[in-house]
Amino acid sequence: MSGIAALALITACDSSDDTPIALPPPGPAPNPAVTITIDDLTYSDLPTITPGAVVTVVNHDQVRHSVTSRRPGLFDKQVEAGQTITFKAPVEIGSHPFYCRYHAFMEGWFSIRQRQ
């Protein structure tokens, strides 16, 4: 158990009030909107997002790319060279890997969790 969690647990046990203490989830809060930047055939890293977050994809390359779910039918968005698109992320909690249909070595993933 980490020191912070142990301290919170000890504090909760020593409290004269019987109200339970809720600890925040680990890591930063998920984001309701994110931007994926494509540059030099690479997707930028993404923070954790909320279900249905607004995803903006900015393609700085001189070729067409896509953001295509590894799970067929979940999402498949194409972005032309120098263009920007926007779409909604999946609403299912979990990790959603994606790739570029035109450059299969390009990979990324959405990490989706509820806002606490």
Side-chain angles (χ1 to χ4, degrees):
M1 185 178 316
S2 75
I4 293 172
L7 179 60
L9 185 58
I10 291 168
T11 303
C13 292
D14 289 345
S15 176
S16 59
D17 186 358
D18 289 335
T19 305
I21 296 175
L23 297 175
N31 295 291
V34 294
T35 298
I36 299 172
T37 302
I38 302 173
D39 209 354
D40 293 328
L41 300 173
T42 304
Y43 297 116
S44 60
D45 289 334
L46 291 173
T48 301
I49 59 176
T50 57
V54 175
V55 177
T56 300
V57 182
V58 180
N59 183 359
H60 289 287
D61 286 346
Q62 298 301 311
V63 295
R64 173 187 307 150
H65 292 294
S66 77
V67 178
T68 304
S69 173
R70 290 275 179 203
R71 191 172 98 199
L74 189 58
F75 56 88
D76 184 11
K77 305 300 180 185
Q78 181 172 293
V79 58
E80 297 296 328
Q83 299 295 308
T84 299
I85 64 165
T86 302
F87 68 98
K88 296 275 189 168
V91 296
E92 296 174 359
I93 301 299
S95 183
H96 298 281
F98 59 84
Y99 69 103
C100 176
R101 282 187 281 132
Y102 308 103
H103 311 96
F105 59 88
M106 289 177 61
E107 297 182 319
W109 67 88
F110 294 119
S111 178
I112 301 174
R113 69 179 172 98
Q114 290 288 6
R115 183 175 291 255
Q116 299 293 335

PDB file of all heavy atoms in Angstrom, residues 32-34 36 49-57 67 69 73-77 85-92 96 110 112:
ATOM      1  N   PRO A  32     -12.490  15.527 -21.610  1.00  0.00           N
ATOM      2  CA  PRO A  32     -13.685  15.448 -22.454  1.00  0.00           C
ATOM      3  C   PRO A  32     -13.406  15.780 -23.919  1.00  0.00           C
ATOM      4  O   PRO A  32     -14.270  15.610 -24.766  1.00  0.00           O
ATOM      5  CB  PRO A  32     -14.632  16.468 -21.824  1.00  0.00           C
ATOM      6  CG  PRO A  32     -13.720  17.465 -21.188  1.00  0.00           C
ATOM      7  CD  PRO A  32     -12.507  16.696 -20.740  1.00  0.00           C
ATOM      8  N   ALA A  33     -12.191  16.266 -24.217  1.00  0.00           N
ATOM      9  CA  ALA A  33     -11.803  16.585 -25.597  1.00  0.00           C
ATOM     10  C   ALA A  33     -10.289  16.427 -25.725  1.00  0.00           C
ATOM     11  O   ALA A  33      -9.554  16.784 -24.808  1.00  0.00           O
ATOM     12  CB  ALA A  33     -12.217  18.002 -25.958  1.00  0.00           C
ATOM     13  N   VAL A  34      -9.849  15.886 -26.857  1.00  0.00           N
ATOM     14  CA  VAL A  34      -8.415  15.697 -27.115  1.00  0.00           C
ATOM     15  C   VAL A  34      -8.108  15.982 -28.578  1.00  0.00           C
ATOM     16  O   VAL A  34      -8.994  15.961 -29.429  1.00  0.00           O
ATOM     17  CB  VAL A  34      -7.932  14.264 -26.780  1.00  0.00           C
ATOM     18  CG1 VAL A  34      -8.031  13.976 -25.314  1.00  0.00           C
ATOM     19  CG2 VAL A  34      -8.669  13.225 -27.594  1.00  0.00           C
ATOM     20  N   ILE A  36      -5.441  14.636 -31.584  1.00  0.00           N
ATOM     21  CA  ILE A  36      -4.406  13.742 -32.097  1.00  0.00           C
ATOM     22  C   ILE A  36      -3.697  14.518 -33.199  1.00  0.00           C
ATOM     23  O   ILE A  36      -4.342  14.953 -34.156  1.00  0.00           O
ATOM     24  CB  ILE A  36      -4.994  12.452 -32.703  1.00  0.00           C
ATOM     25  CG1 ILE A  36      -5.773  11.652 -31.683  1.00  0.00           C
ATOM     26  CG2 ILE A  36      -3.877  11.608 -33.337  1.00  0.00           C
ATOM     27  CD1 ILE A  36      -6.524  10.459 -32.291  1.00  0.00           C
ATOM     28  N   ILE A  49      -9.284   9.722 -21.710  1.00  0.00           N
ATOM     29  CA  ILE A  49     -10.440  10.524 -22.115  1.00  0.00           C
ATOM     30  C   ILE A  49     -11.734   9.954 -21.536  1.00  0.00           C
ATOM     31  O   ILE A  49     -11.777   8.810 -21.094  1.00  0.00           O
ATOM     32  CB  ILE A  49     -10.539  10.630 -23.651  1.00  0.00           C
ATOM     33  CG1 ILE A  49     -10.664   9.246 -24.304  1.00  0.00           C
ATOM     34  CG2 ILE A  49      -9.352  11.392 -24.210  1.00  0.00           C
ATOM     35  CD1 ILE A  49     -10.861   9.276 -25.812  1.00  0.00           C
ATOM     36  N   THR A  50     -12.766  10.776 -21.570  1.00  0.00           N
ATOM     37  CA  THR A  50     -14.087  10.353 -21.101  1.00  0.00           C
ATOM     38  C   THR A  50     -14.833   9.650 -22.236  1.00  0.00           C
ATOM     39  O   THR A  50     -14.517   9.841 -23.408  1.00  0.00           O
ATOM     40  CB  THR A  50     -14.920  11.564 -20.640  1.00  0.00           C
ATOM     41  OG1 THR A  50     -15.030  12.492 -21.721  1.00  0.00           O
ATOM     42  CG2 THR A  50     -14.318  12.234 -19.428  1.00  0.00           C
ATOM     43  N   PRO A  51     -15.840   8.835 -21.911  1.00  0.00           N
ATOM     44  CA  PRO A  51     -16.655   8.204 -22.951  1.00  0.00           C
ATOM     45  C   PRO A  51     -17.285   9.269 -23.862  1.00  0.00           C
ATOM     46  O   PRO A  51     -17.809  10.275 -23.385  1.00  0.00           O
ATOM     47  CB  PRO A  51     -17.729   7.464 -22.167  1.00  0.00           C
ATOM     48  CG  PRO A  51     -17.127   7.228 -20.820  1.00  0.00           C
ATOM     49  CD  PRO A  51     -16.262   8.435 -20.565  1.00  0.00           C
ATOM     50  N   GLY A  52     -17.182   9.068 -25.166  1.00  0.00           N
ATOM     51  CA  GLY A  52     -17.762  10.002 -26.126  1.00  0.00           C
ATOM     52  C   GLY A  52     -17.032  11.325 -26.243  1.00  0.00           C
ATOM     53  O   GLY A  52     -17.575  12.292 -26.785  1.00  0.00           O
ATOM     54  N   ALA A  53     -15.780  11.389 -25.773  1.00  0.00           N
ATOM     55  CA  ALA A  53     -15.000  12.630 -25.852  1.00  0.00           C
ATOM     56  C   ALA A  53     -14.906  13.110 -27.300  1.00  0.00           C
ATOM     57  O   ALA A  53     -14.947  12.313 -28.245  1.00  0.00           O
ATOM     58  CB  ALA A  53     -13.594  12.408 -25.294  1.00  0.00           C
ATOM     59  N   VAL A  54     -14.767  14.405 -27.473  1.00  0.00           N
ATOM     60  CA  VAL A  54     -14.575  14.982 -28.803  1.00  0.00           C
ATOM     61  C   VAL A  54     -13.102  14.800 -29.175  1.00  0.00           C
ATOM     62  O   VAL A  54     -12.214  15.233 -28.447  1.00  0.00           O
ATOM     63  CB  VAL A  54     -14.955  16.473 -28.824  1.00  0.00           C
ATOM     64  CG1 VAL A  54     -14.627  17.093 -30.176  1.00  0.00           C
ATOM     65  CG2 VAL A  54     -16.420  16.655 -28.474  1.00  0.00           C
ATOM     66  N   VAL A  55     -12.870  14.134 -30.303  1.00  0.00           N
ATOM     67  CA  VAL A  55     -11.514  13.871 -30.781  1.00  0.00           C
ATOM     68  C   VAL A  55     -11.284  14.696 -32.043  1.00  0.00           C
ATOM     69  O   VAL A  55     -12.037  14.583 -33.011  1.00  0.00           O
ATOM     70  CB  VAL A  55     -11.313  12.372 -31.106  1.00  0.00           C
ATOM     71  CG1 VAL A  55      -9.919  12.120 -31.660  1.00  0.00           C
ATOM     72  CG2 VAL A  55     -11.579  11.510 -29.884  1.00  0.00           C
ATOM     73  N   THR A  56     -10.251  15.526 -32.016  1.00  0.00           N
ATOM     74  CA  THR A  56      -9.850  16.296 -33.186  1.00  0.00           C
ATOM     75  C   THR A  56      -8.562  15.675 -33.701  1.00  0.00           C
ATOM     76  O   THR A  56      -7.650  15.394 -32.924  1.00  0.00           O
ATOM     77  CB  THR A  56      -9.619  17.771 -32.816  1.00  0.00           C
ATOM     78  OG1 THR A  56     -10.830  18.308 -32.290  1.00  0.00           O
ATOM     79  CG2 THR A  56      -9.168  18.585 -34.020  1.00  0.00           C
ATOM     80  N   VAL A  57      -8.510  15.426 -35.007  1.00  0.00           N
ATOM     81  CA  VAL A  57      -7.315  14.847 -35.630  1.00  0.00           C
ATOM     82  C   VAL A  57      -6.752  15.879 -36.603  1.00  0.00           C
ATOM     83  O   VAL A  57      -7.444  16.327 -37.513  1.00  0.00           O
ATOM     84  CB  VAL A  57      -7.645  13.538 -36.390  1.00  0.00           C
ATOM     85  CG1 VAL A  57      -6.371  12.941 -36.993  1.00  0.00           C
ATOM     86  CG2 VAL A  57      -8.349  12.542 -35.488  1.00  0.00           C
ATOM     87  N   VAL A  67      -7.708   7.004 -38.770  1.00  0.00           N
ATOM     88  CA  VAL A  67      -7.753   6.575 -37.371  1.00  0.00           C
ATOM     89  C   VAL A  67      -8.793   5.468 -37.379  1.00  0.00           C
ATOM     90  O   VAL A  67      -9.993   5.732 -37.411  1.00  0.00           O
ATOM     91  CB  VAL A  67      -8.142   7.732 -36.426  1.00  0.00           C
ATOM     92  CG1 VAL A  67      -8.225   7.249 -34.995  1.00  0.00           C
ATOM     93  CG2 VAL A  67      -7.147   8.883 -36.559  1.00  0.00           C
ATOM     94  N   SER A  69     -10.231   1.778 -35.893  1.00  0.00           N
ATOM     95  CA  SER A  69     -10.280   0.880 -34.741  1.00  0.00           C
ATOM     96  C   SER A  69      -9.792  -0.516 -35.116  1.00  0.00           C
ATOM     97  O   SER A  69     -10.074  -1.008 -36.212  1.00  0.00           O
ATOM     98  CB  SER A  69     -11.719   0.785 -34.227  1.00  0.00           C
ATOM     99  OG  SER A  69     -11.825  -0.196 -33.232  1.00  0.00           O
ATOM    100  N   GLY A  73     -15.655  -1.873 -37.256  1.00  0.00           N
ATOM    101  CA  GLY A  73     -16.927  -1.183 -37.136  1.00  0.00           C
ATOM    102  C   GLY A  73     -17.036  -0.176 -36.004  1.00  0.00           C
ATOM    103  O   GLY A  73     -18.015   0.557 -35.930  1.00  0.00           O
ATOM    104  N   LEU A  74     -16.054  -0.104 -35.113  1.00  0.00           N
ATOM    105  CA  LEU A  74     -16.160   0.824 -33.984  1.00  0.00           C
ATOM    106  C   LEU A  74     -15.926   2.269 -34.439  1.00  0.00           C
ATOM    107  O   LEU A  74     -16.709   3.152 -34.145  1.00  0.00           O
ATOM    108  CB  LEU A  74     -15.196   0.439 -32.871  1.00  0.00           C
ATOM    109  CG  LEU A  74     -15.346   1.192 -31.557  1.00  0.00           C
ATOM    110  CD1 LEU A  74     -16.752   1.023 -30.978  1.00  0.00           C
ATOM    111  CD2 LEU A  74     -14.311   0.719 -30.551  1.00  0.00           C
ATOM    112  N   PHE A  75     -14.846   2.524 -35.154  1.00  0.00           N
ATOM    113  CA  PHE A  75     -14.605   3.832 -35.775  1.00  0.00           C
ATOM    114  C   PHE A  75     -13.577   3.665 -36.882  1.00  0.00           C
ATOM    115  O   PHE A  75     -12.709   2.793 -36.824  1.00  0.00           O
ATOM    116  CB  PHE A  75     -14.172   4.914 -34.766  1.00  0.00           C
ATOM    117  CG  PHE A  75     -12.947   4.562 -33.962  1.00  0.00           C
ATOM    118  CD1 PHE A  75     -11.672   4.862 -34.420  1.00  0.00           C
ATOM    119  CD2 PHE A  75     -13.068   3.940 -32.731  1.00  0.00           C
ATOM    120  CE1 PHE A  75     -10.545   4.543 -33.670  1.00  0.00           C
ATOM    121  CE2 PHE A  75     -11.954   3.626 -31.970  1.00  0.00           C
ATOM    122  CZ  PHE A  75     -10.690   3.923 -32.446  1.00  0.00           C
ATOM    123  N   ASP A  76     -13.709   4.474 -37.918  1.00  0.00           N
ATOM    124  CA  ASP A  76     -12.795   4.461 -39.057  1.00  0.00           C
ATOM    125  C   ASP A  76     -12.887   5.832 -39.708  1.00  0.00           C
ATOM    126  O   ASP A  76     -13.791   6.094 -40.504  1.00  0.00           O
ATOM    127  CB  ASP A  76     -13.166   3.359 -40.041  1.00  0.00           C
ATOM    128  CG  ASP A  76     -12.180   3.240 -41.191  1.00  0.00           C
ATOM    129  OD1 ASP A  76     -11.102   3.854 -41.133  1.00  0.00           O
ATOM    130  OD2 ASP A  76     -12.502   2.526 -42.162  1.00  0.00           O
ATOM    131  N   LYS A  77     -11.990   6.728 -39.345  1.00  0.00           N
ATOM    132  CA  LYS A  77     -12.027   8.109 -39.823  1.00  0.00           C
ATOM    133  C   LYS A  77     -10.809   8.387 -40.682  1.00  0.00           C
ATOM    134  O   LYS A  77      -9.690   8.038 -40.332  1.00  0.00           O
ATOM    135  CB  LYS A  77     -12.057   9.089 -38.640  1.00  0.00           C
ATOM    136  CG  LYS A  77     -13.193   8.828 -37.670  1.00  0.00           C
ATOM    137  CD  LYS A  77     -14.538   8.947 -38.331  1.00  0.00           C
ATOM    138  CE  LYS A  77     -15.658   8.672 -37.352  1.00  0.00           C
ATOM    139  NZ  LYS A  77     -16.958   8.671 -37.978  1.00  0.00           N
ATOM    140  N   ILE A  85     -10.038  16.847 -38.847  1.00  0.00           N
ATOM    141  CA  ILE A  85     -11.384  16.290 -38.692  1.00  0.00           C
ATOM    142  C   ILE A  85     -11.710  16.203 -37.205  1.00  0.00           C
ATOM    143  O   ILE A  85     -10.817  16.257 -36.360  1.00  0.00           O
ATOM    144  CB  ILE A  85     -11.533  14.898 -39.344  1.00  0.00           C
ATOM    145  CG1 ILE A  85     -10.612  13.871 -38.649  1.00  0.00           C
ATOM    146  CG2 ILE A  85     -11.292  14.950 -40.844  1.00  0.00           C
ATOM    147  CD1 ILE A  85     -10.948  12.430 -38.960  1.00  0.00           C
ATOM    148  N   THR A  86     -12.992  16.048 -36.912  1.00  0.00           N
ATOM    149  CA  THR A  86     -13.455  15.872 -35.536  1.00  0.00           C
ATOM    150  C   THR A  86     -14.468  14.747 -35.514  1.00  0.00           C
ATOM    151  O   THR A  86     -15.285  14.623 -36.431  1.00  0.00           O
ATOM    152  CB  THR A  86     -14.099  17.173 -35.013  1.00  0.00           C
ATOM    153  OG1 THR A  86     -13.140  18.220 -35.101  1.00  0.00           O
ATOM    154  CG2 THR A  86     -14.543  17.032 -33.574  1.00  0.00           C
ATOM    155  N   PHE A  87     -14.400  13.900 -34.460  1.00  0.00           N
ATOM    156  CA  PHE A  87     -15.382  12.839 -34.266  1.00  0.00           C
ATOM    157  C   PHE A  87     -15.484  12.513 -32.790  1.00  0.00           C
ATOM    158  O   PHE A  87     -14.703  13.004 -31.980  1.00  0.00           O
ATOM    159  CB  PHE A  87     -15.045  11.593 -35.104  1.00  0.00           C
ATOM    160  CG  PHE A  87     -13.808  10.841 -34.672  1.00  0.00           C
ATOM    161  CD1 PHE A  87     -13.909   9.715 -33.868  1.00  0.00           C
ATOM    162  CD2 PHE A  87     -12.547  11.236 -35.096  1.00  0.00           C
ATOM    163  CE1 PHE A  87     -12.769   9.008 -33.490  1.00  0.00           C
ATOM    164  CE2 PHE A  87     -11.413  10.534 -34.731  1.00  0.00           C
ATOM    165  CZ  PHE A  87     -11.533   9.425 -33.919  1.00  0.00           C
ATOM    166  N   LYS A  88     -16.480  11.707 -32.438  1.00  0.00           N
ATOM    167  CA  LYS A  88     -16.683  11.304 -31.042  1.00  0.00           C
ATOM    168  C   LYS A  88     -15.956   9.993 -30.780  1.00  0.00           C
ATOM    169  O   LYS A  88     -16.044   9.055 -31.562  1.00  0.00           O
ATOM    170  CB  LYS A  88     -18.173  11.105 -30.744  1.00  0.00           C
ATOM    171  CG  LYS A  88     -18.988  12.365 -30.856  1.00  0.00           C
ATOM    172  CD  LYS A  88     -18.938  13.126 -29.582  1.00  0.00           C
ATOM    173  CE  LYS A  88     -19.933  14.270 -29.649  1.00  0.00           C
ATOM    174  NZ  LYS A  88     -20.157  14.898 -28.399  1.00  0.00           N
ATOM    175  N   ALA A  89     -15.266   9.924 -29.632  1.00  0.00           N
ATOM    176  CA  ALA A  89     -14.586   8.696 -29.203  1.00  0.00           C
ATOM    177  C   ALA A  89     -15.637   7.656 -28.816  1.00  0.00           C
ATOM    178  O   ALA A  89     -16.800   7.999 -28.554  1.00  0.00           O
ATOM    179  CB  ALA A  89     -13.686   8.994 -28.014  1.00  0.00           C
ATOM    180  N   PRO A  90     -15.250   6.393 -28.748  1.00  0.00           N
ATOM    181  CA  PRO A  90     -16.184   5.361 -28.282  1.00  0.00           C
ATOM    182  C   PRO A  90     -16.680   5.675 -26.868  1.00  0.00           C
ATOM    183  O   PRO A  90     -16.019   6.399 -26.114  1.00  0.00           O
ATOM    184  CB  PRO A  90     -15.339   4.080 -28.282  1.00  0.00           C
ATOM    185  CG  PRO A  90     -14.207   4.362 -29.204  1.00  0.00           C
ATOM    186  CD  PRO A  90     -13.955   5.837 -29.104  1.00  0.00           C
ATOM    187  N   VAL A  91     -17.829   5.128 -26.518  1.00  0.00           N
ATOM    188  CA  VAL A  91     -18.383   5.348 -25.176  1.00  0.00           C
ATOM    189  C   VAL A  91     -18.050   4.202 -24.230  1.00  0.00           C
ATOM    190  O   VAL A  91     -18.261   4.322 -23.027  1.00  0.00           O
ATOM    191  CB  VAL A  91     -19.914   5.575 -25.215  1.00  0.00           C
ATOM    192  CG1 VAL A  91     -20.228   6.852 -25.974  1.00  0.00           C
ATOM    193  CG2 VAL A  91     -20.632   4.391 -25.822  1.00  0.00           C
ATOM    194  N   GLU A  92     -17.532   3.106 -24.754  1.00  0.00           N
ATOM    195  CA  GLU A  92     -17.188   1.957 -23.921  1.00  0.00           C
ATOM    196  C   GLU A  92     -15.904   2.221 -23.128  1.00  0.00           C
ATOM    197  O   GLU A  92     -14.904   2.657 -23.686  1.00  0.00           O
ATOM    198  CB  GLU A  92     -16.999   0.708 -24.775  1.00  0.00           C
ATOM    199  CG  GLU A  92     -18.259   0.269 -25.477  1.00  0.00           C
ATOM    200  CD  GLU A  92     -18.002  -0.893 -26.422  1.00  0.00           C
ATOM    201  OE1 GLU A  92     -16.856  -1.361 -26.550  1.00  0.00           O
ATOM    202  OE2 GLU A  92     -18.974  -1.327 -27.051  1.00  0.00           O
ATOM    203  N   HIS A  96      -8.884   1.179 -26.407  1.00  0.00           N
ATOM    204  CA  HIS A  96      -9.334   0.978 -27.780  1.00  0.00           C
ATOM    205  C   HIS A  96      -8.178   1.260 -28.737  1.00  0.00           C
ATOM    206  O   HIS A  96      -7.924   2.418 -29.102  1.00  0.00           O
ATOM    207  CB  HIS A  96     -10.524   1.891 -28.100  1.00  0.00           C
ATOM    208  CG  HIS A  96     -11.719   1.625 -27.253  1.00  0.00           C
ATOM    209  ND1 HIS A  96     -12.573   0.579 -27.499  1.00  0.00           N
ATOM    210  CD2 HIS A  96     -12.181   2.245 -26.144  1.00  0.00           C
ATOM    211  CE1 HIS A  96     -13.534   0.579 -26.591  1.00  0.00           C
ATOM    212  NE2 HIS A  96     -13.314   1.577 -25.755  1.00  0.00           N
ATOM    213  N   PHE A 110      -6.983   4.725 -27.556  1.00  0.00           N
ATOM    214  CA  PHE A 110      -7.761   5.549 -26.645  1.00  0.00           C
ATOM    215  C   PHE A 110      -7.864   4.798 -25.330  1.00  0.00           C
ATOM    216  O   PHE A 110      -8.204   3.618 -25.320  1.00  0.00           O
ATOM    217  CB  PHE A 110      -9.187   5.781 -27.161  1.00  0.00           C
ATOM    218  CG  PHE A 110      -9.263   6.595 -28.412  1.00  0.00           C
ATOM    219  CD1 PHE A 110      -9.802   6.060 -29.569  1.00  0.00           C
ATOM    220  CD2 PHE A 110      -8.819   7.909 -28.437  1.00  0.00           C
ATOM    221  CE1 PHE A 110      -9.893   6.805 -30.727  1.00  0.00           C
ATOM    222  CE2 PHE A 110      -8.896   8.658 -29.591  1.00  0.00           C
ATOM    223  CZ  PHE A 110      -9.441   8.113 -30.736  1.00  0.00           C
ATOM    224  N   ILE A 112     -10.141   5.011 -22.187  1.00  0.00           N
ATOM    225  CA  ILE A 112     -11.389   5.672 -21.819  1.00  0.00           C
ATOM    226  C   ILE A 112     -11.838   5.237 -20.438  1.00  0.00           C
ATOM    227  O   ILE A 112     -11.888   4.034 -20.157  1.00  0.00           O
ATOM    228  CB  ILE A 112     -12.484   5.363 -22.864  1.00  0.00           C
ATOM    229  CG1 ILE A 112     -12.026   5.855 -24.254  1.00  0.00           C
ATOM    230  CG2 ILE A 112     -13.814   5.990 -22.454  1.00  0.00           C
ATOM    231  CD1 ILE A 112     -12.947   5.493 -25.382  1.00  0.00           C
TER     232      ILE A 112
END
